[in-house]
Amino acid sequence: MVRELVGPRDIESYERNGVVCLRGVFGREWLELVASGIEKDIADPGPLHTVQQTANDPGFFLTDFCMSQRLEEFRRFALESPAGEIAARLMRSARVNFFYDGIWVKDRGTPKRTRWHQDQPYYSVNGQHMCILWLPLDPVPKDVSLELIAGSQRWGRWFQPELTRSGQDLYPENAAFERMPDIQAERERYDIASFEMAPGDVIAFQGMVVHGAPGNPGMAHRRRALSTIWLGDDAVFAERPGPVRPRFDGHGLKPGDAMDSPYFPRVWPKRVAEAARDLRFHDPNFRIGA
Ligand SMILES: O=C(O)CCC(=O)C(=O)O
């Protein structure tokens, strides 16, 4: 099934550009499940949520993370949907562990952009096997869709992670993380990929790809998207020069250890029953920090 949805050309595009858009990958059942999870989360957001627009900004822009720790809908998507297998095929990875999930909700009339950034610098994870699946739940025209700089995963540059709301640096100034250039001011210099998307389509991108997203000033409806982060064979725990986001405590991993821990359940090869059994994932003592 997934073999048909992810073909050799998709894998080639993922490897070359760091990004590929897969069409019609998730069926109605998965979309309805995730949409209902998002509605629950909006009504009662979790401890890691942020309202991203500032007080005087119009609209409503909400992010939340690690919803699968609280809500069954997201847990089922993480453990049982074809997402893990899709990531495994794109990364050519023998195993895939689920790292965490996030939602990005922008009401109509929200001008605020998601800043240009790379995902991996925010995380305590090294290695190339990091694949993010961005799954919108609403039809998304190109001018509201995720934007990604093709090939930027090969720049060999790590950019300072910034908080989406304030732009505040996550780490103290240091040589390993340079400042993100003003991509908006010089868009024509970059090979920016974006895709008009229908519900069921998904964008897969590598963790070092520079990306951002417009606000939702003009669409007639809300733009809801689920991001899930998947780790493969070479992903290892790493320390950063400051507080990572999200922070996971109590897993006991040391720098260089494989991210193959019950805290980050293995979903591929498929062994859902086992994953659900040894799942610290459900452990009330599991701690996540902002
Ligand atoms: O949906 C958005 O606005 C941005 C999503 C994003 O940056 C991500 O998933 O890393």
Side-chain angles (χ1 to χ4, degrees), residues 180-198:
M180 180 63 73
D182 188 353
I183 290 165
Q184 277 307 93
E186 299 183 302
R187 289 177 61 95
E188 66 292 345
R189 288 189 54 196
Y190 299 96
D191 183 5
I192 298 178
S194 72
F195 308 88
E196 179 171 354
M197 296 173 77

Side-chain angles (χ1 to χ4, degrees), residues 42-238:
I42 293 171
D44 182 19
L48 300 185
H49 85 277
T50 304
V51 176
Q52 297 287 2
Q53 89 278 3
T54 38
N56 298 326
D57 289 343
F60 177 66
F61 177 2
L62 176 79
T63 58
D64 202 358
F65 299 117
C66 300
M67 301 83 59
S68 48
Q69 296 292 338
R70 300 186 304 120
L71 298 173
E72 178 63 25
E73 288 83 352
F74 296 105
R75 189 175 297 156
R76 273 195 57 207
F77 183 86
L79 295 178
E80 297 172 30
S81 84
E85 184 181 356
I86 290 170
R89 282 186 60 75
L90 289 170
M91 294 191 285
R92 299 182 199 261
S93 186
R95 66 168 165 77
V96 165
N97 291 63
F98 172 73
F99 185 38
Y100 84 98
D101 48 12
I103 55 167
W104 300 78
V105 175
K106 293 177 185 169
D107 268 6
R108 60 183 294 211
T110 302
K112 188 175 170 103
R113 285 188 59 90
T114 305
R115 293 164 192 281
W116 290 98
H117 66 284
Q118 297 161 310
D119 283 356
Q120 192 160 359
Y122 288 82
Y123 309 148
S124 51
V125 182
N126 279 348
Q128 294 184 10
H129 288 148
M130 176 182 291
C131 177
I132 294 97
L133 298 182
W134 189 78
L135 176 70
L137 281 304
D138 305 289
V140 177
K142 238 180 143 170
D143 62 352
V144 180
S145 192
L146 198 66
E147 299 183 315
L148 309 101
I149 302 186
S152 51
Q153 82 282 7
R154 284 186 271 101
W155 287 354
R157 298 168 73 182
W158 288 67
F159 296 106
Q160 167 74 263
E162 297 169 341
L163 298 181
T164 305
R165 186 170 198 270
S166 62
Q168 187 192 317
D169 291 349
L170 213 53
Y171 307 146
E173 196 142 332
N174 72 94
F177 294 88
E178 54 181 297
R179 193 144 300 284
M180 180 63 73
D182 188 353
I183 290 165
Q184 277 307 93
E186 299 183 302
R187 289 177 61 95
E188 66 292 345
R189 288 189 54 196
Y190 299 96
D191 183 5
I192 298 178
S194 72
F195 308 88
E196 179 171 354
M197 296 173 77
D201 299 346
V202 70
I203 291 176
F205 61 99
Q206 203 271 345
M208 290 298 286
V209 168
V210 175
H211 62 284
N216 178 13
M219 238 174 30
H221 52 82
R222 212 173 232 185
R223 198 225 63 179
R224 299 163 298 172
L226 171 70
S227 289
T228 46
I229 293 88
W230 308 88
L231 304 174
D233 297 338
D234 79 352
V236 293
F237 185 75

Side-chain angles (χ1 to χ4, degrees), residues 6-41:
V6 181
R9 285 172 61 177
D10 299 317
I11 298 172
E12 193 203 320
S13 167
Y14 179 80
E15 287 176 348
R16 188 180 58 248
N17 300 320
V19 48
V20 63
C21 182
L22 305 170
R23 302 291 182 185
V25 177
F26 290 97
R28 219 178 59 202
E29 272 177 42
W30 288 119
L31 298 175
E32 283 174 0
L33 184 75
V34 172
S36 103
I38 291 181
E39 292 316 310
K40 274 192 193 170
D41 197 86

